[in-house]
Amino acid sequence: MARIVQKFGGTSVADIPRIENVVAKVKREIDAGNQVAVVVSAMAGVTNHLVDLTRQIDKLHDAREYDVVVATGEQVTSGLLALALQKQGIKARSWQGWQIPIRTDGVHGKARIEAIEIAEFSRRMDTGEVAVVSGFQGLGPDQRVTTLGRGGSDTSAVALAAALQADRCDIYTDVDGVYTTDPRIVAKARKLDKISYEEMLEMASVGAKVLQIRSVELAMKLGVRLRVLSSFSEDPGTLVVGEEEIVEKELVSGIAYSRDEAKITLTLVADRPGVAAAIFGPLADAAINVDMIVQNASGQGRTDLTFTVIKSDLERAVQVLTQKKPELGFDDLLFDPNVAKVSVIGVGMRSHSGVALGMFRALADKGINIQVISTSEIKISVLIAEEYAELAVHALHAAYGLDAD
Ligand code: ADP
Ligand code: ASP
Ligand code: MG
């Protein structure tokens, strides 16, 4: 007997027939003699709708009440799935994040899981009851509902799998696995049988939404065996494994893109020690993550500072910086939400040079201008105008020989 965590994303639970399809996937594991915990997302489109409702009231809403609203989507699905399982004669019970509880920090809207009190939950699983857990939610230190950031049900599933010492964590979604790039953008994308945690982490962190970044971080840290597979096919999917398990290391294994960032430029910032800390400190205090950063000397002891933030944080970032303008002493604050980040990822970059040059050439051939560049050991990212995002992804996928025949 094994313990399995199965996670089903929004499209997998989009309506009642699809929830019945999930019942069949759960039943298969039970019939194989396994104990099953199921983590569910909100039905497709529901979270977007809930987010939109909060934004209609105020774009700079109170994060605690935002969580109260957006956490409800998952509650509906967990109840529906428990009912659908019961109808097939399967013992099942729903669990909300606060009932287990899944304890998180207090950063509402993007909380991190700190601990899961698993004893009672685990005991109930031992009685053969299927646990149906609302993903995405937790309980903050103030005893209020928190949510884990968009796509956070993946992280709920991995954290639960770790707490339960599950044998596997299967992430069921609407594609057959992890591809060389988003298969909805590039028809010639190839499915990978295996990908390393490191590459998956980079791909997720630069925009491949197939797994939430934090879920990959946790799986890597806690050694959770993770599989990405489709709710709608029998394909075995993609295993996310340690780098040592991958025999043939590709130079470039994937291309990712994100339209989720916005660019901010502060012009004529004083070029002296402490200025970057004075700018990024208040943003960090407001829980705004800064991603790419570039600084251009403009002479006379002043520089232009350009950086990116998550698009949904743009208004807040502009507000924070505008308030601090007297102290920071910049000349102008410019921002542009119409940008995209395109990235090339591969562990082979550790030992080979020339990958960046190939990227710059492929983009230049298409006349695409690069606004900001950032790199890590196994990734190169560039910021470009949003309108060129798909063209760039296609061009790079072909340039690195990733197109399927
Ligand atoms: P779910 O609702 O099941 O959590 P998501 O929409 O969060 O599903 O993630 C699945 C989607 O991720 C796919 O439909 C696909 O468009 C997108 N995606 C982006 N990059 C990749 C990639 N490299 N491989 C597979 N899917 C990707
Ligand atoms: N329902 C949440 C979202 O849409 C969490 C998830 O689906 O993983 O972001
Ligand atoms: Mg998702």
Tab-separated table of all heavy atoms in Angstrom, residues 7-12 41 154 172-175 177-184 203 207-211 255, ligand 1:
chain	number	residue	atom	x	y	z
A	7	LYS	N	-3.326	15.961	-7.149
A	7	LYS	CA	-3.814	17.341	-7.202
A	7	LYS	C	-4.477	17.585	-8.556
A	7	LYS	O	-3.909	17.231	-9.594
A	7	LYS	CB	-2.651	18.323	-6.981
A	7	LYS	CG	-3.053	19.792	-7.038
A	7	LYS	CD	-2.715	20.420	-8.360
A	7	LYS	CE	-3.283	21.821	-8.510
A	7	LYS	NZ	-2.906	22.428	-9.796
A	8	PHE	N	-5.646	18.184	-8.538
A	8	PHE	CA	-6.365	18.471	-9.784
A	8	PHE	C	-6.554	19.971	-9.930
A	8	PHE	O	-7.129	20.624	-9.059
A	8	PHE	CB	-7.711	17.739	-9.799
A	8	PHE	CG	-7.556	16.243	-9.853
A	8	PHE	CD1	-7.461	15.507	-8.678
A	8	PHE	CD2	-7.443	15.588	-11.067
A	8	PHE	CE1	-7.274	14.124	-8.719
A	8	PHE	CE2	-7.251	14.212	-11.120
A	8	PHE	CZ	-7.167	13.479	-9.946
A	9	GLY	N	-6.082	20.517	-11.046
A	9	GLY	CA	-6.162	21.957	-11.306
A	9	GLY	C	-7.531	22.365	-11.831
A	9	GLY	O	-8.420	21.520	-12.037
A	10	GLY	N	-7.685	23.668	-12.048
A	10	GLY	CA	-8.984	24.253	-12.394
A	10	GLY	C	-9.710	23.613	-13.571
A	10	GLY	O	-10.912	23.312	-13.484
A	11	THR	N	-8.982	23.373	-14.674
A	11	THR	CA	-9.673	22.807	-15.839
A	11	THR	C	-10.082	21.356	-15.584
A	11	THR	O	-11.043	20.872	-16.189
A	11	THR	CB	-8.787	22.856	-17.104
A	11	THR	OG1	-7.455	22.586	-16.708
A	11	THR	CG2	-8.859	24.198	-17.784
A	12	SER	N	-9.383	20.689	-14.679
A	12	SER	CA	-9.699	19.281	-14.377
A	12	SER	C	-10.974	19.149	-13.548
A	12	SER	O	-11.512	18.054	-13.410
A	12	SER	CB	-8.543	18.626	-13.620
A	12	SER	OG	-7.343	18.756	-14.340
A	41	SER	N	-8.190	22.538	-6.893
A	41	SER	CA	-8.239	23.978	-7.176
A	41	SER	C	-9.688	24.402	-7.318
A	41	SER	O	-10.581	23.556	-7.403
A	41	SER	CB	-7.551	24.273	-8.507
A	41	SER	OG	-6.181	24.074	-8.431
A	154	ASP	N	-0.722	23.819	-6.178
A	154	ASP	CA	0.414	22.912	-6.402
A	154	ASP	C	1.233	22.810	-5.121
A	154	ASP	O	1.679	21.732	-4.715
A	154	ASP	CB	1.339	23.444	-7.512
A	154	ASP	CG	0.651	23.539	-8.860
A	154	ASP	OD1	-0.254	22.736	-9.118
A	154	ASP	OD2	1.031	24.436	-9.658
A	172	TYR	N	-2.227	16.634	-11.598
A	172	TYR	CA	-3.035	16.449	-12.801
A	172	TYR	C	-3.444	17.806	-13.366
A	172	TYR	O	-3.958	18.656	-12.655
A	172	TYR	CB	-4.303	15.660	-12.482
A	172	TYR	CG	-4.067	14.184	-12.261
A	172	TYR	CD1	-3.703	13.712	-11.001
A	172	TYR	CD2	-4.205	13.275	-13.294
A	172	TYR	CE1	-3.493	12.352	-10.781
A	172	TYR	CE2	-4.000	11.916	-13.084
A	172	TYR	CZ	-3.643	11.463	-11.834
A	172	TYR	OH	-3.435	10.127	-11.634
A	173	THR	N	-3.207	17.983	-14.687
A	173	THR	CA	-3.533	19.266	-15.289
A	173	THR	C	-4.131	19.062	-16.675
A	173	THR	O	-4.662	17.983	-16.965
A	173	THR	CB	-2.278	20.182	-15.265
A	173	THR	OG1	-2.626	21.439	-15.801
A	173	THR	CG2	-1.115	19.584	-16.032
A	174	ASP	N	-4.050	20.085	-17.525
A	174	ASP	CA	-4.713	19.989	-18.830
A	174	ASP	C	-3.735	19.760	-19.977
A	174	ASP	O	-4.096	19.892	-21.134
A	174	ASP	CB	-5.571	21.247	-19.084
A	174	ASP	CG	-4.767	22.527	-18.961
A	174	ASP	OD1	-3.534	22.462	-18.764
A	174	ASP	OD2	-5.377	23.613	-19.060
A	175	VAL	N	-2.468	19.478	-19.666
A	175	VAL	CA	-1.494	19.079	-20.687
A	175	VAL	C	-0.818	17.790	-20.204
A	175	VAL	O	-0.863	17.481	-19.013
A	175	VAL	CB	-0.420	20.175	-20.949
A	175	VAL	CG1	-1.006	21.333	-21.748
A	175	VAL	CG2	0.198	20.679	-19.651
A	177	GLY	N	2.120	16.909	-19.609
A	177	GLY	CA	3.326	16.939	-18.788
A	177	GLY	C	4.035	18.260	-18.997
A	177	GLY	O	3.428	19.233	-19.471
A	178	VAL	N	5.318	18.276	-18.660
A	178	VAL	CA	6.119	19.484	-18.853
A	178	VAL	C	6.733	19.418	-20.251
A	178	VAL	O	7.322	18.401	-20.623
A	178	VAL	CB	7.224	19.581	-17.788
A	178	VAL	CG1	8.065	20.828	-18.004
A	178	VAL	CG2	6.614	19.564	-16.385
A	179	TYR	N	6.577	20.468	-21.003
A	179	TYR	CA	7.069	20.536	-22.384
A	179	TYR	C	8.279	21.473	-22.478
A	179	TYR	O	8.544	22.262	-21.560
A	179	TYR	CB	5.963	21.059	-23.314
A	179	TYR	CG	4.921	20.035	-23.692
A	179	TYR	CD1	4.008	19.578	-22.756
A	179	TYR	CD2	4.851	19.531	-24.985
A	179	TYR	CE1	3.042	18.635	-23.106
A	179	TYR	CE2	3.886	18.596	-25.348
A	179	TYR	CZ	2.984	18.153	-24.398
A	179	TYR	OH	2.040	17.228	-24.750
A	180	THR	N	8.948	21.423	-23.633
A	180	THR	CA	10.100	22.302	-23.862
A	180	THR	C	9.706	23.775	-23.840
A	180	THR	O	10.537	24.641	-23.605
A	180	THR	CB	10.763	21.983	-25.215
A	180	THR	OG1	9.719	21.881	-26.195
A	180	THR	CG2	11.553	20.678	-25.155
A	181	THR	N	8.450	24.053	-24.141
A	181	THR	CA	7.895	25.390	-23.925
A	181	THR	C	6.381	25.231	-23.851
A	181	THR	O	5.866	24.112	-24.009
A	181	THR	CB	8.327	26.390	-25.018
A	181	THR	OG1	7.968	27.711	-24.587
A	181	THR	CG2	7.643	26.101	-26.356
A	182	ASP	N	5.664	26.312	-23.598
A	182	ASP	CA	4.209	26.202	-23.461
A	182	ASP	C	3.601	25.624	-24.735
A	182	ASP	O	3.644	26.253	-25.794
A	182	ASP	CB	3.636	27.601	-23.180
A	182	ASP	CG	2.156	27.542	-22.816
A	182	ASP	OD1	1.516	26.501	-23.090
A	182	ASP	OD2	1.657	28.529	-22.257
A	183	PRO	N	3.035	24.409	-24.662
A	183	PRO	CA	2.498	23.781	-25.879
A	183	PRO	C	1.324	24.551	-26.487
A	183	PRO	O	0.949	24.309	-27.627
A	183	PRO	CB	2.058	22.391	-25.401
A	183	PRO	CG	1.912	22.503	-23.918
A	183	PRO	CD	2.863	23.560	-23.471
A	184	ARG	N	0.746	25.469	-25.719
A	184	ARG	CA	-0.348	26.274	-26.285
A	184	ARG	C	0.175	27.397	-27.179
A	184	ARG	O	-0.562	27.986	-27.953
A	184	ARG	CB	-1.183	26.900	-25.170
A	184	ARG	CG	-1.869	25.843	-24.394
A	184	ARG	CD	-2.878	26.363	-23.409
A	184	ARG	NE	-3.183	25.291	-22.492
A	184	ARG	CZ	-3.889	24.221	-22.816
A	184	ARG	NH1	-4.422	24.107	-24.004
A	184	ARG	NH2	-4.083	23.253	-21.946
A	203	MET	N	12.301	27.183	-14.779
A	203	MET	CA	11.205	27.358	-15.739
A	203	MET	C	9.992	27.970	-15.048
A	203	MET	O	9.369	28.894	-15.572
A	203	MET	CB	10.827	26.027	-16.403
A	203	MET	CG	11.700	25.755	-17.606
A	203	MET	SD	11.424	24.175	-18.383
A	203	MET	CE	10.024	24.440	-19.363
A	207	GLY	N	8.139	31.871	-15.580
A	207	GLY	CA	6.826	32.006	-16.200
A	207	GLY	C	6.117	30.743	-16.645
A	207	GLY	O	4.956	30.817	-17.016
A	208	ALA	N	6.784	29.569	-16.621
A	208	ALA	CA	6.067	28.354	-17.029
A	208	ALA	C	5.086	28.002	-15.924
A	208	ALA	O	5.460	27.474	-14.890
A	208	ALA	CB	7.050	27.211	-17.275
A	209	LYS	N	3.818	28.310	-16.137
A	209	LYS	CA	2.859	28.244	-15.028
A	209	LYS	C	2.427	26.833	-14.707
A	209	LYS	O	1.560	26.640	-13.865
A	209	LYS	CB	1.639	29.079	-15.390
A	209	LYS	CG	1.995	30.532	-15.343
A	209	LYS	CD	0.791	31.394	-15.192
A	209	LYS	CE	1.217	32.821	-15.007
A	209	LYS	NZ	0.445	33.738	-15.793
A	210	VAL	N	3.007	25.859	-15.380
A	210	VAL	CA	2.545	24.492	-15.182
A	210	VAL	C	2.708	24.063	-13.715
A	210	VAL	O	1.882	23.306	-13.201
A	210	VAL	CB	3.207	23.546	-16.209
A	210	VAL	CG1	4.711	23.549	-16.093
A	210	VAL	CG2	2.650	22.163	-16.144
A	211	LEU	N	3.711	24.582	-13.013
A	211	LEU	CA	3.846	24.343	-11.564
A	211	LEU	C	4.167	25.665	-10.876
A	211	LEU	O	4.970	26.447	-11.386
A	211	LEU	CB	4.992	23.365	-11.278
A	211	LEU	CG	4.766	21.898	-11.631
A	211	LEU	CD1	6.054	21.101	-11.408
A	211	LEU	CD2	3.639	21.284	-10.796
A	255	ILE	N	12.176	26.815	-23.050
A	255	ILE	CA	11.998	28.254	-23.229
A	255	ILE	C	10.737	28.634	-22.454
A	255	ILE	O	9.723	27.945	-22.569
A	255	ILE	CB	11.746	28.621	-24.718
A	255	ILE	CG1	12.701	27.887	-25.669
A	255	ILE	CG2	11.749	30.129	-24.928
A	255	ILE	CD1	14.121	28.338	-25.632
B	1	ADP	P1	-3.901	23.925	-13.571
B	1	ADP	O1	-5.163	24.697	-13.636
B	1	ADP	O2	-4.097	22.452	-13.797
B	1	ADP	O3	-3.087	24.218	-12.352
B	1	ADP	P2	-2.218	25.646	-15.128
B	1	ADP	O4	-2.959	26.471	-16.108
B	1	ADP	O5	-1.791	26.283	-13.864
B	1	ADP	O6	-3.087	24.347	-14.849
B	1	ADP	O7	-0.924	24.996	-15.802
B	1	ADP	C1	-1.042	24.248	-16.994
B	1	ADP	C2	-0.739	25.130	-18.175
B	1	ADP	O8	0.635	25.504	-18.119
B	1	ADP	C3	-0.872	24.488	-19.523
B	1	ADP	O9	-2.192	24.564	-19.996
B	1	ADP	C4	0.119	25.259	-20.387
B	1	ADP	O10	-0.522	26.203	-21.214
B	1	ADP	C5	0.974	26.013	-19.386
B	1	ADP	N1	2.415	25.843	-19.600
B	1	ADP	C6	3.316	26.865	-19.670
B	1	ADP	N2	4.540	26.413	-19.905
B	1	ADP	C7	4.438	25.051	-19.974
B	1	ADP	C8	5.384	24.010	-20.206
B	1	ADP	N3	6.687	24.267	-20.403
B	1	ADP	N4	4.933	22.734	-20.224
B	1	ADP	C9	3.628	22.464	-20.024
B	1	ADP	N5	2.684	23.412	-19.802
B	1	ADP	C10	3.079	24.700	-19.782
